[in-house]
Amino acid sequence: MPWFVWLLAAAALGAAEFFTLTLVFGLLAGAALVAAVVAGVGVGLLGQLVALGVAAAAGLLIARPVAMRHMAEQPLTYEGSDALIGKRAEVMQEVTATRGLIKLSGEEWSARALDETLVIPVGALVDVMEIEGATAIVYPRSLLP
């Protein structure tokens, strides 16, 4: 009968993981399943608790580094205005350190030069270096290395 109690505990922990998405409850649910198997084989309560502890520790030691590595990675795709960084644009109205207008991805954007000493003429091709609100910070392609 103890194996059934471990299965109930695993189900409860699995449900808690489903609602919280913390990974901890999921690891404990897996450890409770291991304890249920150990109990089903006929090992006593002390052995079941040891199996629970070992399985939980092993899950944490294996899963945590993988999760931390995935959290540290940059996203593969950029969305919104971040997707415009690095794009090529054409100057529609002279771009200075304070104002200007460019055509970027088929839309007109207000722009200003990254280098405050530059004046970028109409028709020049620029690269978008940053986006600040609704303003693109640009640099002439001809001056890029």
Side-chain angles (χ1 to χ4, degrees), residues 66-90:
V66 173
M68 295 301 286
R69 186 170 43 249
H70 283 287
M71 286 176 24
E73 291 178 1
Q74 292 292 326
L76 297 177
T77 58
Y78 293 99
E79 299 175 349
S81 61
D82 288 339
L84 299 174
I85 296 174
K87 297 277 187 186
R88 180 183 304 178
E90 181 181 353

Side-chain angles (χ1 to χ4, degrees), residues 72-119:
E73 291 178 1
Q74 292 292 326
L76 297 177
T77 58
Y78 293 99
E79 299 175 349
S81 61
D82 288 339
L84 299 174
I85 296 174
K87 297 277 187 186
R88 180 183 304 178
E90 181 181 353
V91 176
M92 305 297 288
Q93 184 181 61
E94 186 177 75
V95 176
T96 65
T98 57
R99 62 183 178 88
L101 191 65
I102 61 170
K103 187 164 194 120
L104 173 62
S105 296
E107 299 177 344
E108 290 186 357
W109 278 71
S110 60
R112 64 181 177 86
L114 179 66
D115 184 351
E116 295 178 359
T117 62
L118 288 178
V119 174

Side-chain angles (χ1 to χ4, degrees), residues 38-53:
V38 170
V41 172
V43 177
L45 182 60
L46 182 61
Q48 296 169 27
L49 292 174
V50 168
L52 177 77

Side-chain angles (χ1 to χ4, degrees), residues 27-28 31 51-63:
L27 293 174
L28 289 175
L52 177 77
V54 169
L60 185 63
L61 291 174
I62 292 170

